[in-house]
Amino acid sequence: MGKKIAVVAVVAVFLALLSQGLVFAGETTYRFDPQSQSSRAMEYKNTWAGYKLYQSSCKSCHYRGNDKGASFLETDSRTMQGWNKVFYKKNVPCAKDGSWAKLSPEDLVVINDYLYTKAYDTWDPRSNKSCG
Ligand code: HEC
């Protein structure tokens, strides 16, 4: 009885992770970060922290129908390299006008990690890698 519930719970957690694209089929994805000139493992601790910061510090303006003059932004509005460029060059209007000022360099790096794993071109039909 207890055992059956445990199995159901494990399956539920697995499905939840799968739906988030966080199960990499045993393969870790790496992102080369041009800012720090280092490779970053796209692990849950980074992408989850990035997801939370993206929701609180980017989607706070970029939600649909906002009155802040910001376009509706989705994680797949950019390719993986496109997101890297946004964070490396910081040449989007909000990065230049100080809207990113309260975010630390580490905050920005994990938001970049999150967006990289959810970018437009993360799913490659030619490879056996899962989404993300
Ligand atoms: C204070 C409001 C505000 C916040 C917070 C904010 N933005 Fe913006 N953002 C804007 C405005 C306004 C523009 C210029 C209009 C536009 O193109 O959406 C813009 C433009 C952009 C663009 C260019 C739009 C496009 O599709 O070409 C990107 C990309 C972007 N923001 C990403 C981000 C990210 C990533 C964050 C979080 C780190 C963020 N923004 C936080 C207001 C904001």
Side-chain angles (χ1 to χ4, degrees):
M1 180 63 186
K3 212 173 182 182
K4 199 170 179 185
I5 290 170
V7 169
V8 169
V10 166
V11 169
V13 166
F14 180 76
L15 289 176
L17 290 174
L18 196 66
S19 70
Q20 291 295 304
L22 292 169
V23 174
F24 297 122
E27 209 178 324
T28 306
T29 304
Y30 290 86
R31 174 175 81 79
F32 183 75
D33 182 49
Q35 189 85 46
S36 58
Q37 291 286 304
S38 62
S39 267
R40 295 179 53 82
M42 297 297 93
E43 290 166 347
Y44 189 59
K45 63 173 163 46
N46 294 335
T47 54
W48 175 241
Y51 165 75
K52 283 187 293 185
L53 282 165
Y54 173 70
Q55 291 297 331
S56 65
S57 310
C58 304
K59 292 299 271 183
S60 52
C61 284
H62 288 279
Y63 59 90
R64 213 186 288 279
N66 71 82
D67 59 1
K68 304 175 199 299
S71 51
F72 176 69
L73 200 61
E74 261 306 345
T75 58
D76 61 4
S77 303
R78 290 279 191 290
T79 58
M80 293 184 272
Q81 292 313 320
W83 280 123
N84 279 354
K85 213 180 274 175
V86 164
F87 287 89
Y88 180 57
K89 297 202 165 157
K90 299 189 178 59
N91 57 0
V92 291
C94 49
K96 289 198 250 176
D97 72 9
S99 301
W100 290 16
K102 67 175 162 59
L103 296 162
S104 71
E106 178 58 22
D107 289 345
L108 292 173
V109 141
V110 293
I111 297 175
N112 193 164
D113 288 346
Y114 168 67
L115 290 171
Y116 184 90
T117 63
K118 297 284 178 186
Y120 179 70
D121 56 350
T122 38
W123 186 69
D124 182 353
R126 290 161 303 185
S127 88
N128 61 0
K129 253 196 205 166
S130 57
C131 305

